[in-house]
Amino acid sequence: MTISITTAAMVAISTGLLGLVFGLGAAVSYLDSKFARLESRIERLADRADRRS
């Protein structure tokens, strides 16, 4: 009985860790795309400012 409980706990913990890793990976890639868009927008603004001066 105790073996099955510890096994179930280990499976649940490993599944939770996998979910956490995948969640973090998704969050990082989402933020990365957001920052890439922001960066290109800033570069465009800088180009316009350079043309004006």
Side-chain angles (χ1 to χ4, degrees):
M1 191 68 183
T2 51
I3 293 171
S4 62
I5 290 173
T6 51
T7 307
M10 284 173 67
V11 167
I13 289 170
S14 58
T15 306
L17 283 175
L18 270 175
L20 191 71
V21 166
F22 280 117
L24 280 174
V28 165
S29 63
Y30 172 75
L31 284 174
D32 197 44
S33 66
K34 280 272 192 202
F35 278 119
R37 267 189 231 137
L38 190 73
E39 204 174 6
S40 63
R41 199 176 293 167
I42 289 170
E43 281 174 6
R44 264 183 270 140
L45 284 171
D47 284 347
R48 276 191 211 141
D50 283 347
R51 278 187 221 128
R52 277 189 199 144
S53 60

